[in-house]
Amino acid sequence: MEKDSCDPDPSRQRNGFVGVLYGEFTDMLNDRVRYSVSLTESALTIQRISSSPGRTKVVFNLTDCVGCRAYRGPDSADVGAYFTAYFYPFKRRWMSAGVTRHRVEQCFRVALVQDPLANLQEAERWAHAIRDASARQAPRRDGVAYMEVRRPCRIMMLVNPQSGRGQALQLFTGHIQGMLTEASVPYTLVITEHQNHARELVRKADLSQWDALVIMSGDGLLFEVINGLMDREDWQEAIQIPLGILPGGSGNALAASVHHYSQSPPAWNEELLLSCGFMLCKGLVGPLDLVSVHLASKQRLFSFLSLAWGFVADVDIESEKYRHVGAIRFLMGTLVRLASLRVYQGRLAYLPVKEAPKLSKGSFTTNHPPSTPQHPSLCSSLPCQFIPNTSPNPSSRHGTNSNHNTRTNSSNNAITTKRPQIESDTKTRAPVDSLLPDLEQPVPDTWTVVKEEDFVLVLAIYQSHLAEDLWTVPGAMADDGLIHLFYVTAGISRPALLRLFLAMEKGGHLACGCPHLVYEKVKALRLEPITPQGMITVDGEVVEYGPVQAQIHPGIARLMRG
């Protein structure tokens, strides 16, 4: 018979404090193996019961727990019930240095009495207590205004099956689908069929059905989703829906940035996917800056990642032909473009951030993350609501592989959000770009006009990473309210440019002392190409070539992140 006891003070239970929950249970596969299990506010401790001294004790931090479920066994004659907790702690890599998240599940059999229903109720009590205790373990990073999403979080999961090497759907079913089941997160799977499918879908969707939109693709699909939301008449409410990103493409810049913001050790490929899936299941949400981009044709776009002209844009687009090799396509594209290095003529101006000291060319002090990883915060209840920073049986129904919305088994709760104050144009209902003059007008005197007109590249970026392995802005945050502007002037040698990009893998390029590299923190910018050849990209997507200007809007979107 299993033993069980809990905190005797009912007032502490009513106030949401678990105290100590203790029980003795058997192994799922062997009734002769018994464990003592104790649950505190911060940890689940498991110890094998044996006659030998020095019994091995295993402690699982609840910040690493994504969920716990209770259920009956497959044998109807079995009076016992079971509960399984799912953890993703950091462990050392098997074949290389460093640590990464690994999946661990702990399963126990409950057989207190001969009544199957009573045993199931006890298993459910433990599963509920573990979920609640893990939800209360929500360490938040200083300086970040977090929100939480309610449980169960109804997710629209958009997957582009053509992204990257065409493996996004396979990666979803192989890694993310199981994690969502473990976390009891219901979702509807939507397979995109053509370009701008996601943009059209979210522009017309009834967003009250969803608590979050999650993109499993490269950065291009999220670009579609954001612009679809901003196309809506109710854009101010629509853009508040939390957005999640799972790396399924070649670049995966935002996914790499989200992982970096959680202060986790560097990760790539499927390790990065596991990390982003873990944060998705935790459901913690923070602000995301967007940049309003104006083109010469009066078209307006909203960007979450970057605006590029010259070398970076050319490599991004020209390397599409190597998409089948995955992320290494960018290295191949870089080498090809270096062999025929171009100089681009144009005019560049920007509105600098007054508080930031002016940096000389090639000088910058990088801020490296601490060597000890801090686990991403968790949360458990969703609507989205700002949370002040005061301290450092699966019921989910899976969607089908179709483009039609299917009902989930969760309630239809509306999202309520405390929004930033955004000035809105009375005609277009879009946010007003008060810092930008008309493209036909000169820039204000408060702007800085770059004297040079010969460039190798211009890159405006608002996240930490430009790709999984390109740590472009070591000090950037998703909501720092800054456009990080880089430009490289003509005269740089091919070896020097290659060294810059190689140093960027570890965020060391800004300390290289390169006299042709300039870095500025700005609020707005204007670029006017003179050279007829070249490309301009916004979030990796080619846009109309010609004069372009942009302004940042701090924190108007919501991003699921650590």
Side-chain angles (χ1 to χ4, degrees):
M1 283 291 191
E2 277 76 2
K3 297 180 181 179
D4 181 80
S5 64
C6 63
D7 192 324
D9 186 349
S11 65
R12 297 170 81 183
Q13 300 257 339
R14 286 195 302 269
N15 292 331
F17 179 80
V18 171
V20 176
L21 191 63
Y22 176 82
E24 293 182 5
F25 308 108
T26 58
D27 186 83
M28 181 180 183
L29 301 176
N30 187 350
D31 282 346
R32 290 177 293 183
V33 177
R34 298 177 59 79
Y35 299 95
S36 65
V37 183
S38 59
L39 174 69
T40 66
E41 285 189 309
S42 61
L44 184 72
T45 302
I46 304 165
Q47 197 163 16
R48 182 168 176 171
I49 300 173
S50 66
S51 57
S52 60
R55 294 176 295 175
T56 302
K57 180 188 294 186
V58 181
V59 179
F60 289 95
N61 193 321
L62 291 177
T63 59
D64 297 327
C65 179
V66 298
C68 186
R69 67 185 185 98
Y71 51 95
R72 290 290 310 278
D75 186 358
S76 59
D78 181 7
V79 298
Y82 302 84
F83 67 93
T84 301
Y86 305 95
F87 297 87
Y88 287 82
F90 284 102
K91 289 187 176 182
R92 291 215 166 269
R93 293 185 176 97
W94 181 50
M95 295 292 289
S96 60
V99 296
T100 186
R101 291 198 180 275
H102 292 263
R103 180 181 179 276
V104 178
E105 68 175 62
Q106 292 293 318
C107 181
F108 304 96
R109 181 175 182 269
V110 181
L112 294 174
V113 294
Q114 293 300 309
D115 182 356
L117 179 60
N119 290 327
L120 180 59
Q121 289 174 341
E122 180 63 12
E124 288 174 342
R125 184 169 78 99
W126 271 84
H128 182 77
I130 291 171
R131 289 194 300 268
D132 282 359
S134 64
R136 283 190 292 272
Q137 290 299 306
R140 294 173 171 85
R141 297 181 58 185
D142 291 338
V144 180
Y146 288 107
M147 299 167 291
E148 296 178 353
V149 249
R150 65 181 157 248
R151 301 278 183 173
C153 174
R154 303 158 304 163
I155 286 177
M156 179 193 288
M157 180 73 63
L158 295 123
V159 177
N160 177 7
Q162 305 302 321
S163 63
R165 289 182 288 179
Q167 296 178 320
L169 185 57
Q170 179 182 344
L171 290 171
F172 173 78
T173 56
H175 296 277
I176 301 303
Q177 190 175 52
M179 295 181 75
L180 295 176
T181 300
E182 294 164 1
S184 299
V185 175
Y187 67 90
T188 296
L189 185 61
V190 177
I191 309 298
T192 60
E193 296 179 338
H194 53 79
Q195 189 174 12
N196 284 323
H197 181 191
R199 183 169 185 166
E200 297 163 2
L201 181 66
V202 301
R203 185 169 56 223
K204 301 174 183 177
D206 177 8
L207 296 181
S208 66
Q209 296 185 49
W210 312 108
D211 298 311
L213 304 178
V214 178
I215 288 79
M216 175 99 187
S217 181
D219 297 303
L221 195 61
L222 181 57
F223 175 75
E224 287 189 23
V225 168
I226 286 175
N227 282 278
L229 294 173
M230 295 302 291
D231 285 344
R232 297 169 61 107
E233 289 191 1
D234 64 342
W235 68 268
Q236 285 188 297
E237 290 74 27
I239 199 61
Q240 300 299 307
I241 189 167
L243 303 171
I245 185 73
L246 296 169
S250 301
N252 302 318
L254 185 60
S257 299
V258 167
H259 173 83
H260 170 69
Y261 300 148
S262 72
Q263 297 185 333
S264 299
W268 302 272
N269 303 321
E270 293 184 9
E271 290 182 0
L272 178 62
L273 177 60
L274 196 68
S275 173
C276 291
F278 173 82
M279 284 184 276
L280 172 65
C281 291
K282 288 298 188 181
L284 197 61
V285 179
L288 173 67
D289 298 340
L290 294 183
V291 168
S292 175
V293 179
H294 293 256
L295 306 178
S297 63
K298 306 297 183 182
Q299 184 183 8
R300 187 183 188 189
L301 303 170
F302 290 90
S303 167
F304 66 90
L305 177 61
S306 66
L307 185 156
W309 174 59
F311 185 87
V312 171
D314 287 355
V315 168
D316 193 7
I317 301 306
E318 292 172 359
S319 65
E320 284 282 340
K321 65 185 73 160
Y322 311 122
R323 176 176 290 274
H324 62 281
V325 300
I328 200 174
R329 66 176 254 215
F330 298 108
L331 175 59
M332 298 173 65
T334 297
L335 296 176
V336 170
R337 179 46 50 206
L338 277 172
S340 55
L341 191 60
R342 296 173 180 166
V343 172
Y344 307 81
Q345 289 187 322
R347 290 180 287 269
L348 177 64
Y350 56 85
L351 177 62
V353 176
K354 293 180 181 179
E355 295 78 12
K358 189 171 181 63
L359 301 176
S360 60
K361 287 187 177 182
S363 65
F364 187 77
T365 301
T366 58
N367 296 317
H368 293 278
S371 56
T372 302
Q374 302 206 0
H375 296 199
S377 305
L378 59 91
C379 66
S380 71
S381 60
L382 307 168
C384 297
Q385 186 173 12
F386 276 113
I387 308 296
N389 188 9
T390 58
S391 69
N393 166 24
S395 59
S396 60
R397 182 179 301 171
H398 292 273
T400 58
N401 297 354
S402 70
N403 293 296
H404 303 286
N405 295 343
T406 59
R407 289 186 180 273
T408 63
N409 60 347
S410 57
S411 59
N412 187 15
N413 299 316
I415 294 177
T416 58
T417 311
K418 181 179 178 181
R419 304 179 186 89
Q421 294 298 316
I422 308 169
E423 186 181 0
S424 178
D425 186 282
T426 55
K427 294 181 180 179
T428 65
R429 293 193 175 97
V432 173
D433 292 328
S434 57
L435 301 178
L436 298 179
D438 289 336
L439 263 173
E440 296 79 12
Q441 301 297 320
V443 298
D445 293 338
T446 54
W447 286 45
T448 297
V449 178
V450 178
K451 293 181 180 179
E452 294 91 341
E453 290 192 349
D454 293 337
F455 300 91
V456 171
L457 67 86
V458 174
L459 172 66
I461 183 170
Y462 353 114
Q463 305 297 334
S464 63
H465 284 66
L466 187 59
E468 281 188 31
D469 55 353
L470 291 178
W471 189 12
T472 310
V473 193
M477 291 297 295
D479 57 343
D480 58 15
L482 299 172
I483 297 174
H484 300 270
L485 176 64
F486 297 82
Y487 61 89
V488 174
T489 56
I492 189 171
S493 67
R494 291 180 176 85
L497 186 59
L498 180 59
R499 282 195 298 271
L500 278 180
F501 278 93
L502 292 176
M504 196 181 293
E505 293 183 5
K506 296 185 178 180
H509 53 295
L510 294 171
C512 287
C514 175
H516 296 279
L517 172 65
V518 180
Y519 165 62
E520 296 283 354
K521 297 176 182 178
V522 308
K523 293 288 186 182
L525 64 94
R526 176 184 288 182
L527 171 66
E528 299 175 89
I530 300 173
T531 301
Q533 78 272 15
M535 285 180 278
I536 296 175
T537 60
V538 175
D539 296 353
E541 302 296 313
V542 178
V543 299
E544 145 192 13
Y545 192 71
V548 59
Q549 61 183 10
Q551 170 187 330
I552 196 155
H553 289 278
I556 68 171
R558 301 289 173 259
L559 179 65
M560 301 183 78
R561 48 181 271 207

